[in-house]
Amino acid sequence: MASTLQRMRLDKNLEPLGWAGRLSLTSRILVVNILPLALLGGGIFYLDSYRKQLLSERYKLARIEAQITAEALAGATRERQEALLVQIGREQRMRVRMYDAEGRLWADSFELAEPSFEFDDIRQDNLSDDFAQMLDRAVDTIVGAEPIPDYNEPEDPSADAWPELVRAREEGLSQIQLRDAPDGTPVINAAAPVGLNGATLLTTRNAVDITENVRAARSTLGLAVFFAMIASILLSLYLARTIVAPLRLLASAALRVRQGREREVEVPRLPERRDEIGLLARAVSDMTSALRQRIDAVDSFAADVAHEIKNPLASLRSAIESLPRVEDPDLRKQLTDIATHDVRRIDRLVTEISDASRIDAEMSRATLERIDLTKLVERIVGSREARAENLDHRIVLDSRGYAAIVTGVGARLERVVENLLDNAVSFSPPEASVEVMVENDGERVVLTVCDSGPGIPEENREKVFQRFHSVRPETEDFGNHSGLGLAIARTIAEAHDGILTAQSRLDGKPGACMRLDLPAAR
């Protein structure tokens, strides 16, 4: 029950991964590390706001330039106006045109002097220029930028060919118009009225620097994101390799263990790793070793069970097969007694075997309680005397130290005490006493059961706890014990975090002592 509840808590704490659970660990690591960089790379598209900010500042500058130029031209002579157009156009790297009240073009800085700028010939663009223009158009499409009309010199040289000049003449206010040059750079036209006689001014500037700044920022950010992404991918693959490779190795070993194709599967322990993967590897290795030992124990137990049951079955079969051919009443009675004895022996074996196989499962589901071990022994001794199970032996109980309180399952600890007393009574000579001592030093509670029998040789003190290992007194009838009593007692002791061992008597007298060591209750 405890393990089931713990598993339910663990399952509750694990959040479902959803669609991510269908991706490999490598893919998830790559996605987690690349996604932030991809979002950062998306900032390339938002450089459009930077471009708009630069254009907005340039609009203000163009409007102010047009207004100042118009004020400088107003009232000046024609010669002075032409000189100003050339000077301003050269210094500000823009084209300045002036129209009279009827809208006719009568002065152009590009006509009066050498042009101060030229549009790039797209026919001479190299591959990088073509790529830059293509990227500009792609970004404009993605961010949904409003389309910009192309810049084309009109065939009609009059002011009516320029919508911004028409609005400036009608409203008497300066006007701004953005157009797109053949090479993708912005062209800013500014129209302003000159004086009060209806003349107008048109300035044209190719703001190449805006495009260059945006492209430079985009290139810098793009290169940074690109190299960061390459580094992130390499580091992610390295991280995935250090995680996924040992996990796959462990999974492969676990698969071979499950399939059982190899008797000895070497599960890598990864001793050089001190991280969680190393802990997992060593845990899986230890689990596999424990599983292998458990399987070996089950196989050995099954073989021992078959061997122990086969002997009384063979004797029972022989007695039953002989009965029909025997006429002598005394011999038939002997055969019947043998058959009865063998049936009882088989029943005892099956009961003990069933009990031994259920201990682990029952202990994992049992509820622990506080138990006074001294009172438990007193109750068991009194019950045995009432049933005359102690025969002619006297059981002497002594307790020392603190109250012998332990935490455990009362029925199972009672079984341990019963088995130890059974063992001590059967090996003690007639009328000899069995001494039981209970001690508690505050940390451990120790129960010692000592008999007055022949004792146990040191080399056999572990063998007596093996299943079906049975060395009985000569006075005891064969088959009265299954050889599972001490094995069951040790299994119960270990389930209570205790230790059950065999040792010689400390007082030097003949006999053996069984020592049960349990942690004291807190």
Side-chain angles (χ1 to χ4, degrees):
M1 177 66 71
S3 60
T4 302
L5 291 175
Q6 185 178 13
R7 186 167 58 252
M8 291 174 64
R9 294 191 198 101
L10 290 174
D11 292 342
K12 186 177 180 180
N13 290 334
L14 293 176
E15 297 181 359
L17 294 177
W19 63 267
R22 296 189 291 270
L23 297 177
S24 67
L25 190 57
T26 301
S27 300
R28 272 181 268 173
I29 291 175
L30 285 172
V31 168
V32 168
N33 287 329
I34 292 176
L35 185 59
L37 291 175
L39 294 176
L40 177 61
I44 294 175
F45 302 110
Y46 290 96
L47 287 175
D48 182 65
S49 61
Y50 173 59
R51 175 173 175 268
K52 289 180 179 178
Q53 184 179 358
L54 292 178
L55 285 174
S56 177
E57 295 296 328
R58 197 59 56 86
Y59 290 164
K60 296 178 182 178
L61 178 61
R63 189 186 302 273
I64 293 172
E65 287 177 340
Q67 292 173 351
I68 292 175
T69 303
E71 291 178 1
L73 293 173
T77 63
R78 184 181 181 91
E79 291 77 10
R80 179 57 181 166
Q81 289 176 342
E82 290 178 354
L84 285 175
L85 292 179
V86 173
Q87 181 182 358
I88 294 173
R90 183 185 303 113
E91 293 178 354
Q92 301 299 322
R93 295 184 59 81
M94 63 182 180
R95 186 174 184 177
V96 186
R97 282 172 279 199
M98 191 169 179
Y99 298 83
D100 60 18
E102 285 74 25
R104 293 188 299 268
L105 176 64
W106 64 267
D108 185 349
S109 63
F110 276 23
E111 296 291 338
L112 299 174
E114 183 178 352
S116 58
F117 69 88
E118 292 182 358
F119 294 117
D120 289 340
D121 188 352
I122 59 175
R123 294 172 298 181
Q124 299 179 1
D125 286 347
N126 53 32
L127 186 60
S128 61
D129 294 331
D130 293 337
F131 177 76
Q133 294 177 34
M134 181 183 67
L135 185 58
D136 289 340
R137 290 191 293 271
V139 171
D140 290 341
T141 302
I142 292 174
V143 301
E146 296 181 1
I148 302 174
D150 293 335
Y151 179 85
N152 294 305
E153 284 292 333
E155 296 181 359
D156 182 9
S158 66
D160 295 336
W162 301 99
E164 55 269 35
L165 278 174
V166 174
R167 295 196 302 272
R169 292 173 63 187
E170 292 176 351
E171 300 176 10
L173 299 173
S174 58
Q175 303 291 329
I176 300 295
Q177 178 67 49
L178 176 66
R179 289 183 174 82
D180 197 11
D183 60 354
T185 58
V187 178
I188 302 174
N189 276 2
V194 179
L196 301 175
N197 58 359
T200 52
L201 175 72
L202 179 67
T203 63
T204 302
R205 183 191 295 274
N206 185 199
V208 179
D209 58 322
I210 293 180
T211 301
E212 291 176 347
N213 290 337
V214 172
R215 288 177 180 175
R218 184 185 298 152
S219 299
T220 301
L221 180 59
L223 286 175
V225 171
F226 174 76
F227 286 115
M229 188 168 293
I230 293 297
S232 179
I233 290 174
L234 294 177
L235 291 174
S236 298
L237 292 176
Y238 170 75
L239 178 63
R241 182 175 178 272
T242 60
I243 296 176
V244 174
L247 287 181
R248 287 178 177 172
L249 195 61
L250 291 175
S252 176
L255 181 62
R256 294 199 303 274
V257 171
R258 181 182 66 82
Q259 293 174 341
R261 295 179 180 177
E262 302 179 31
R263 179 62 186 85
E264 295 291 335
V265 178
E266 186 65 28
V267 179
R269 295 184 62 83
L270 305 179
E272 71 283 358
R273 298 193 63 150
R274 293 292 181 264
D275 55 6
E276 289 78 0
I277 298 296
L279 293 176
L280 175 62
R282 290 183 283 280
V284 172
S285 179
D286 293 340
M287 180 188 67
T288 303
S289 299
L291 178 62
R292 188 180 297 122
Q293 293 174 3
R294 179 63 63 89
I295 293 174
D296 291 342
V298 170
D299 291 343
S300 176
F301 183 57
D304 292 341
V305 168
H307 179 268
E308 292 296 324
I309 293 181
K310 186 175 181 180
N311 289 336
L313 278 177
S315 175
L316 177 62
R317 178 181 178 183
S318 177
I320 292 176
E321 289 178 349
S322 299
L323 273 174
R325 298 192 298 269
V326 175
E327 300 293 338
D328 186 358
D330 292 335
L331 185 57
R332 288 180 64 88
K333 184 177 183 306
Q334 291 180 7
L335 291 175
T336 302
D337 291 341
I338 291 173
T340 302
H341 179 272
D342 289 336
V343 169
R344 290 176 179 172
R345 183 181 173 192
I346 292 173
D347 179 67
R348 186 182 303 109
L349 275 172
V350 171
T351 301
E352 294 284 351
I353 290 168
S354 175
D355 202 11
S357 63
R358 290 199 310 266
I359 289 176
D360 289 339
E362 289 182 358
M363 289 299 299
S364 65
R365 297 191 298 268
T367 301
L368 303 181
E369 56 185 350
R370 293 172 64 87
I371 299 170
D372 189 328
L373 198 58
T374 302
K375 293 182 179 179
L376 178 66
V377 175
E378 290 176 349
R379 186 171 65 252
I380 293 173
V381 171
S383 177
R384 289 175 63 88
E385 288 177 352
R387 297 193 305 267
E389 292 182 356
N390 295 330
L391 303 179
D392 54 354
H393 300 89
R394 187 169 65 93
I395 298 179
V396 181
L397 173 62
D398 187 16
S399 61
R400 299 176 183 175
Y402 302 98
I405 307 298
V406 297
T407 303
V409 181
R412 285 304 173 186
L413 291 177
E414 183 177 343
R415 177 65 181 276
V416 174
V417 176
E418 286 277 8
N419 287 358
L420 296 183
L421 291 176
D422 279 340
N423 187 77
V425 167
S426 63
F427 277 98
S428 294
E431 299 183 358
S433 62
V434 174
E435 299 174 6
V436 181
M437 174 70 71
V438 181
E439 300 175 278
N440 181 9
D441 61 3
E443 295 292 333
R444 309 290 296 185
V445 174
V446 178
L447 168 69
T448 307
V449 180
C450 297
D451 59 46
S452 301
I456 304 173
E458 187 173 353
E459 63 273 12
N460 292 333
R461 288 176 185 172
E462 278 301 311
K463 292 182 180 179
V464 298
F465 296 103
Q466 296 178 0
R467 289 173 174 175
F468 302 111
H469 180 84
S470 180
V471 178
R472 308 311 307 170
E474 295 179 357
T475 57
E476 186 175 284
D477 293 336
F478 175 77
N480 287 342
H481 289 83
S482 64
L484 288 171
L486 291 180
I488 292 174
R490 171 170 275 190
T491 301
I492 296 173
E494 291 175 348
H496 286 79
D497 295 328
I499 304 171
L500 179 61
T501 57
Q503 58 187 32
S504 59
R505 294 178 62 114
L506 299 179
D507 56 10
K509 297 179 181 179
C513 292
M514 294 296 170
R515 187 175 187 273
L516 174 63
D517 187 332
L518 297 172
R522 298 297 180 185

